[in-house]
Amino acid sequence: MLSELHQKWLTKRGIDTEVAIRMGTYSVRRDQDGQLVSDSEGDIIAFPFVKDGEIVGHKYRGPHKTFWQQANGRKQFYNVDILESPELHDGSMALVITEGELDALAVATAGYPHVVSVPDGAPPPRDGSGNLIIVPKGTEDISWETDNKFSYITSDWENLAKVRRIIIAVDNDEAGKRLGDELVRRLDRVRCSFVTYPETCKDLNEVLVQHGADAVRQIVATAKPYPVDGVYKLSDFPPEEPIKTYT
């Protein structure tokens, strides 16, 4: 059950509460032993991570924007079971990858169910020299064999590999840009596209709040493919000087 507090909060964020409930969102509180229990008046919102219909982890948002995850939960995409959709495998629909659960719920609210979000946000941004500003454990550039930060990609690779088209819709900030780069590097550039937000928005939830569901759908529909080395369109080149003619 979603508490009235959380229903009002989601509505303020433009999220359809019925969509949120259908995707498993519910309210919890801490009991006298400090354990989290479902409560229709709880002040903590829970986003369950479901695999094959079973809850295998949670992400929580408490008062004052506190965030944490269930200990020992399975690291995977939020809404990962959508990867089994035949429409993604035959290319008739594209998979949207967002940076957070609210952005995924915004896409679903706009009527586009083929969306997932990464489980633990963006890696830290780099400074102008390409160095990490901060390096928390597990966020370094790492190989496939020792991947931890991005292990959610390899853990569901069997279904993810079948997806024909992928739209990267992460936050429009430095950390989000790095996340997008890391996802594209792992998911194969030729099947990835990127989105462009209005100037006042940094993610799809802000687009939903400020511009409505139609704008979210339009942004998804007009995603552009990432440039591929050696393949260019005429519009990729800078304008040339006008041709000079002589008598």
Side-chain angles (χ1 to χ4, degrees), residues 161-174:
K162 299 175 185 176
V163 177
R164 301 285 295 277
R165 297 187 294 131
I166 299 173
I167 297 172
I168 307 297
V170 292
D171 289 6
N172 185 26
D173 55 23
E174 287 303 316

Side-chain angles (χ1 to χ4, degrees), residues 14-203:
I15 305 299
D16 185 330
T17 55
E18 290 187 6
V19 170
I21 292 171
R22 188 164 63 246
M23 294 178 70
T25 315
Y26 65 103
S27 300
V28 301
R29 64 171 175 82
R30 290 194 182 277
D31 64 15
Q32 60 184 5
D33 298 321
Q35 301 298 312
L36 293 173
V37 294
S38 178
D39 190 330
S40 61
E41 297 182 358
D43 60 350
I44 299 170
I45 191 167
F47 300 99
F49 284 67
V50 179
K51 175 66 176 175
D52 297 328
E54 296 185 6
I55 296 177
V56 295
H58 283 89
K59 185 183 285 188
Y60 301 100
R61 177 182 175 129
H64 312 298
K65 291 186 177 182
T66 54
F67 301 90
W68 69 97
Q69 295 189 39
Q70 174 184 326
N72 302 317
R74 184 180 190 270
K75 180 170 279 199
Q76 63 170 57
F77 284 110
Y78 174 66
N79 197 37
V80 72
D81 282 349
I82 200 67
L83 294 180
E84 298 180 10
S85 173
E87 293 85 358
L88 294 176
H89 300 170
D90 65 20
S92 58
M93 303 294 287
L95 174 70
V96 179
I97 300 180
T98 69
E99 190 170 321
E101 294 77 27
L102 282 183
D103 296 316
L105 288 173
V107 176
T109 293
Y112 197 93
H114 298 88
V115 59
V116 297
S117 69
V118 301
D120 46 11
R126 298 178 179 277
D127 62 21
S129 302
N131 300 314
L132 290 174
I133 296 175
I134 53 175
V135 190
K137 183 179 180 181
T139 63
E140 308 88 346
D141 284 333
I142 38 188
S143 68
W144 283 91
E145 292 78 11
T146 58
D147 208 325
N148 180 37
K149 174 69 175 176
F150 297 93
S151 61
Y152 54 87
I153 292 178
T154 54
S155 66
D156 287 296
W157 185 251
E158 182 177 353
N159 281 317
L160 193 55
K162 299 175 185 176
V163 177
R164 301 285 295 277
R165 297 187 294 131
I166 299 173
I167 297 172
I168 307 297
V170 292
D171 289 6
N172 185 26
D173 55 23
E174 287 303 316
K177 290 174 182 176
R178 185 182 175 217
L179 173 61
D181 289 342
E182 297 292 344
L183 289 173
V184 170
R185 185 156 66 92
R186 290 165 169 79
L187 295 173
D188 193 354
R189 197 176 189 87
V190 297
R191 60 175 175 160
C192 292
S193 299
F194 65 94
V195 298
T196 303
Y197 302 122
E199 285 189 8
T200 57
C201 302
K202 74 175 181 64
D203 57 42

